Amino acid sequence: MQTNIFGYDVAALKNAFQAIEGCQSYRAEQVARWMYQRNATAFEEMTDLGKELRQRMASVFVIQRAVIINEQHSQRGDTSKYLLAFADGMAVETVVMRHRYGNSVCVSTQVGCAMGCRFCASTLNGVSRSLTTGEILDQVLFADALLKVSGQGVNSIVVMGSGEPMANYQAVVDFIRLCHAPYCLNLSLRSVAVSTVGLVPGIDRLAAEGMPLTLSISLHAADDVTRSRLMPMNDTYPIREVVEAGRRYATATGRRVTYEYTLIDGINDREFDALNLSRLLKGQLCHINLIPVNPVPEQGMTPPDAKHVQRFADWLEAQGLSVTLRREMGGDIKAACGQLRKRHLEGREAEGTGE
Ligand code: SAH
């Protein structure tokens, strides 16, 4: 069986190509550029490599890419969501968002999720498996190719699709380093945001990587009773420990941490919630991103109305916190994590081919 090299960096390619007779080490970067910058999926496309070398490579290696099996577009046309399937039939969602200031792609890091957050669709069926570096990269390069058709490209990446990045740590970090590599996307690390449910050891490990990434921490509540109710992981890493880890991250990297706070009617949107939140985060190099919850039918949680969302933002600002309201993009295509995939799974179950 041939080895799939999509997702290998140049060092890994050099190592792999040692198995091929007469293959000089500079070929590694050449092949990387073909795969990552020119979207080659077969060695025969790599015309600046000798024919014989291409044949030898093709007998040992393959370049495996995902296939798109569904897509949805928002009415405004600013958000598109794609369902990508891998060789084993597992599928994940990738979202492409066109902003005024550039294009961003939201990638998944696992098939499903094990974190169990009560408002999230990705976790309804648990986690099937983690994605490889290549499978995460595939989503970005697919989006980039798509945007190139209109002379654009990917300007930023948010690691906020389904899955918990810290539960697939090495693949995620290798993926980010690849996006930064000059032979791949050459993307600034400052243009990459990683969102975590709050796995403290992962946050500390990321802080030590020396990468100026934006860290987003999903907080969603300012007291442990409410947060544990919404996010079971809070029993392992309670609020105080998560916020301390956020503080350490900001100190180590000099980067402002974003706290994600999804507003759920009657659960975490009261004035005292805003006060608790301000007390918790005051003085920290951080920023709060408010997201009205995107309702998942099974979970029965609804967002407060727009006026109340604004009021909550005002309460926080009055306490001196920096707040943004997440612009609701693609609400009409249900851009909340996992909802397109959920429908796909339901369809497969109906056909008797469930995962
Ligand atoms: N596992 C990571 C990243 C994936 S989720 C994390 O927990 O951060 C990305 C963000 O979307 C998280 O802040 C998550 O809590 C939020 N989210 C998930 N489902 C949502 C929903 N239905 N409505 C609003 N935000 C949601």
Side-chain angles (χ1 to χ4, degrees):
M1 197 161 120
Q2 293 134 307
T3 306
N4 175 26
I5 56 166
F6 187 81
Y8 280 28
D9 64 6
V10 159
L13 287 172
K14 276 186 185 158
N15 198 26
F17 290 170
Q18 281 176 0
I20 296 180
E21 217 186 291
C23 181
Q24 286 166 297
S25 70
Y26 73 91
R27 297 296 188 189
E29 183 162 337
Q30 230 175 335
V31 169
R33 286 187 187 273
W34 273 106
M35 286 194 294
Y36 304 139
Q37 294 183 333
R38 300 166 85 170
N39 260 306
T41 52
F43 293 99
E44 60 194 38
E45 293 172 52
M46 304 179 188
T47 44
D48 50 3
L49 275 67
K51 198 167 177 190
E52 218 177 285
L53 180 59
R54 281 183 269 157
Q55 281 168 351
R56 254 179 282 153
M57 282 185 173
S59 68
V60 188
F61 302 114
V62 281
I63 301 165
Q64 219 166 59
R65 295 289 304 260
V67 290
I68 303 146
I69 58 171
N70 203 354
E71 64 178 30
Q72 260 183 318
H73 305 279
S74 67
Q75 266 163 20
R76 276 205 304 248
D78 54 0
T79 306
S80 303
K81 191 171 193 173
Y82 300 89
L83 194 63
L84 272 72
F86 303 109
D88 64 355
M90 295 279 171
V92 297
E93 292 179 3
T94 303
V95 184
V96 179
M97 292 162 284
R98 297 169 176 85
H99 309 277
R100 255 167 298 143
Y101 53 85
N103 302 308
S104 115
V105 54
C106 175
V107 296
S108 295
T109 55
Q110 297 183 302
V111 183
C113 185
M115 296 299 117
C117 299
R118 305 274 184 253
F119 44 82
C120 180
S122 300
T123 201
L124 287 170
N125 294 302
V127 67
S128 301
R129 68 172 174 87
S130 285
L131 298 188
T132 63
T133 300
E135 288 169 337
I136 308 172
L137 181 69
D138 203 332
Q139 301 169 59
V140 175
L141 292 192
F142 156 70
D144 195 59
L146 198 90
L147 290 161
K148 281 217 169 91
V149 175
S150 48
Q152 302 174 43
V154 169
N155 306 104
S156 62
I157 297 173
V158 290
V159 184
M160 291 190 189
S162 66
E164 168 51 42
M166 300 302 184
N168 186 16
Y169 186 89
Q170 201 54 55
V172 169
V173 167
D174 290 348
F175 150 73
I176 295 169
R177 289 200 195 284
L178 254 179
C179 290
H180 180 57
Y183 54 80
C184 189
L185 277 179
N186 201 15
L187 197 77
S188 155
L189 292 172
R190 286 169 198 278
S191 308
V192 181
V194 177
S195 181
T196 177
V197 73
L199 302 188
V200 169
I203 296 175
D204 285 332
R205 204 172 155 197
L206 195 64
E209 295 282 350
M211 301 195 288
L213 305 171
T214 300
L215 177 70
S216 284
I217 297 180
S218 299
L219 197 59
H220 305 322
D223 68 272
D224 283 317
V225 174
T226 310
R227 192 164 188 267
S228 284
R229 194 173 147 204
L230 293 174
M231 306 168 75
M233 274 318 291
N234 192 64
D235 295 339
T236 310
Y237 300 110
I239 293 181
R240 197 177 39 81
E241 289 179 27
V242 171
V243 171
E244 275 309 309
R247 210 184 289 275
R248 289 194 293 275
Y249 186 88
T251 306
T253 61
R255 302 283 293 163
R256 190 164 76 152
V257 169
T258 299
Y259 286 96
E260 306 280 340
Y261 195 98
T262 187
L263 282 165
I264 308 168
D265 186 36
I267 293 190
N268 61 1
D269 64 342
R270 295 147 298 185
E271 191 168 11
F272 68 83
D273 292 312
L275 274 175
N276 285 341
L277 188 57
S278 333
R279 269 192 215 133
L280 193 66
L281 299 180
K282 228 172 193 170
Q284 184 169 155
L285 180 63
C286 73
H287 168 86
I288 299 169
N289 192 19
L290 294 177
I291 318 149
V293 71
N294 201 330
V296 177
E298 288 86 338
Q299 290 151 330
M301 292 182 187
T302 50
D305 62 38
K307 250 196 188 140
H308 187 77
V309 170
Q310 186 57 54
R311 200 179 307 143
F312 196 86
D314 293 343
W315 286 332
L316 296 175
E317 276 177 348
Q319 298 295 322
L321 291 175
S322 150
V323 184
T324 46
L325 289 180
R326 184 187 282 184
R327 215 178 109 218
E328 276 194 88
M329 299 187 73
D332 58 324
I333 61 162
K334 299 200 180 310
C337 327
Q339 296 186 352
L340 184 62
R341 175 171 171 265
K342 186 159 69 74
R343 231 171 302 149
H344 163 68
L345 289 180
E346 284 160 2
R348 284 168 60 126
E349 269 158 24
E351 291 161 19
T353 55
E355 280 178 302

